[in-house]
Amino acid sequence: MTTALDEARPVTAAVDPDWEERYAVASRDVYRRTLVELARTDPRIFCVDSDMGGLETLFGEELPRQYVNVGIAEANLMGVSAGLAATGLLPYANTISGFAATRACEQLKVDVAGNDLPVRVVVTHAGLSAGHYGPTHHAVDDLAIVRTLPNMTVVVPADAVEAEYAVRATADLPGPLFLRLGRAATPLVHTEPYEFRLGEARELRAGDDVTLVATGPYPVSMALEAHAFLATRGVSARVLNMHTVKPVDRAAIVRASAETGGIVTVEDHVVTGGLGAAVCEVVTEELPCRVRRVGVPDRFFDHVADERELLETAGVSPRRIAEEALALVRPAR
């Protein structure tokens, strides 16, 4: 039986030799640029816009026959995209994460996932990245929702580099995709080319005392910061970038369970239903180990701040990650 992962293609090289100039921008900007590049040579690719701003000029003016703007109507966005996909086209539905996962959840479930259609739902402002808008725009429950939808592949790039790799690697994916991006530029995790493989976690740091499994820009960056701190305490921490949340890399999680003293998960998402839950599901079914989940607690944040400040207020920080890792390691010694 052919699966979505069988159809995904690994992506390796950087497109532009000037790495810093190309990728020191928001991941959504790199995604948009990559989408135009792909659409120039593939007339099946359609950009379906929900009045996000910028796509009407970047994409629409160059490729008007492959551009549709449905306005701020997210349920309609999913229905139109599903209809296009049913005719053999490859629509990229663009909206904000909270709107895709909650406002248009029924259409995403029934029209897109329910029919296993190749709609690429590309969302921005995920997690707490829209913190400047306040709690109505916090999207910290989206992964918990879309993980439950059959046929759905869920990818959360760690930076702008990985955003481009993810778009190119999933260009021929036969089923639906949920690509989760932030809003503003975030620190670059990747500073040189590597082979991106859908569904395979990337080991960013080796270690055998404890494993830090993170998804998304700030969680991965914070996990790397925690790794450096733990090294000063004599703790060897493995760091896994779990860019594909569904299907999650079960083999990498089982290896971490077998080879290290426990797992700490890190995410810009509530601790219920996201990456931490996915990891716990695997270890309970395959090879039990202790897991500590670092994520947004089960409450609303009613103040305005930028993404990193909100995350640290929520308890997602390098310090917290290191504390949880040490709590796993010390009893085992």
Side-chain angles (χ1 to χ4, degrees):
M1 177 180 177
T2 301
T3 68
L5 291 187
D6 294 326
E7 298 294 330
R9 55 190 181 199
V11 174
T12 306
V15 176
D16 194 312
D18 195 338
W19 191 272
E20 189 71 22
E21 181 178 346
R22 182 174 179 86
Y23 295 116
V25 295
S27 58
R28 64 173 177 170
D29 294 330
V30 170
Y31 150 68
R32 290 178 174 187
R33 182 173 61 213
T34 305
L35 182 62
V36 172
E37 292 171 357
L38 292 174
R40 285 177 186 144
T41 59
D42 190 342
R44 298 175 302 162
I45 292 178
F46 265 63
C47 174
V48 189
D49 192 5
S50 59
D51 210 17
M52 290 290 286
L55 285 168
E56 73 282 359
T57 54
L58 179 66
F59 194 108
E61 289 183 1
E62 180 175 347
L63 300 166
R65 293 174 181 263
Q66 294 166 250
Y67 174 79
V68 179
N69 191 343
V70 302
I72 304 176
E74 289 78 15
N76 194 36
L77 173 75
M78 298 302 171
V80 168
S81 297
L84 291 170
T87 70
L89 298 174
L90 299 176
Y92 285 73
N94 299 271
T95 187
I96 290 175
S97 192
F99 298 166
T102 53
R103 183 178 297 173
C105 183
E106 181 180 8
Q107 289 72 29
L108 182 60
K109 170 188 172 183
V110 176
D111 297 349
V112 177
N115 290 290
D116 196 14
L117 290 169
V119 175
R120 289 81 167 93
V121 181
V122 183
V123 299
T124 61
H125 299 70
L128 294 172
S129 66
H132 59 296
Y133 287 138
T136 58
H137 283 60
H138 296 171
V140 291
D141 50 7
D142 52 353
L143 294 178
I145 295 168
V146 298
R147 278 186 65 232
T148 66
L149 300 180
N151 305 315
M152 186 70 69
T153 298
V154 182
V155 180
V156 188
D159 61 8
V161 176
E162 202 159 73
E164 175 169 342
Y165 281 14
V167 173
R168 294 185 183 278
T170 56
D172 296 322
L173 202 67
L177 169 72
F178 188 88
L179 181 63
R180 188 185 197 247
L181 306 176
R183 177 184 177 274
T186 55
L188 283 180
V189 171
H190 305 96
T191 57
E192 59 184 15
Y194 70 99
E195 186 174 73
F196 175 94
R197 287 184 174 272
L198 190 67
E200 292 186 14
R202 182 165 189 245
E203 184 175 291
L204 300 178
R205 299 289 187 273
D208 53 19
D209 287 332
V210 67
T211 301
L212 312 179
V213 182
T215 191
Y218 280 113
V220 173
S221 294
M222 289 177 175
L224 291 172
E225 292 177 46
H227 165 90
F229 173 80
L230 289 167
T232 68
R233 297 296 187 271
V235 175
S236 172
R238 181 179 306 178
V239 180
L240 297 181
N241 167 22
M242 194 66 72
H243 50 69
T244 307
V245 176
K246 183 183 179 182
V248 75
D249 189 342
R250 298 177 71 91
I253 295 169
V254 171
R255 285 195 299 271
S257 179
E259 298 169 0
T260 68
I263 298 172
V264 179
T265 63
V266 193
E267 58 194 310
D268 182 2
H269 187 273
V270 291
V271 292
T272 304
L275 174 68
V279 170
C280 287
E281 290 162 9
V282 173
V283 299
T284 55
E285 293 171 356
E286 303 284 352
L287 187 64
C289 75
R290 292 173 300 163
V291 178
R292 297 291 186 99
R293 293 175 295 165
V294 175
V296 179
D298 186 22
R299 69 179 178 86
F300 288 107
F301 293 87
D302 58 1
H303 64 284
V304 175
D306 64 25
E307 184 177 9
R308 176 141 187 161
E309 181 180 340
L310 277 173
L311 282 169
E312 292 184 347
T313 300
V316 182
S317 67
R319 180 187 182 92
R320 169 78 185 286
I321 297 166
E323 289 174 348
E324 297 293 350
L326 289 169
L328 290 175
V329 171
R330 283 171 176 163
R333 289 185 166 179

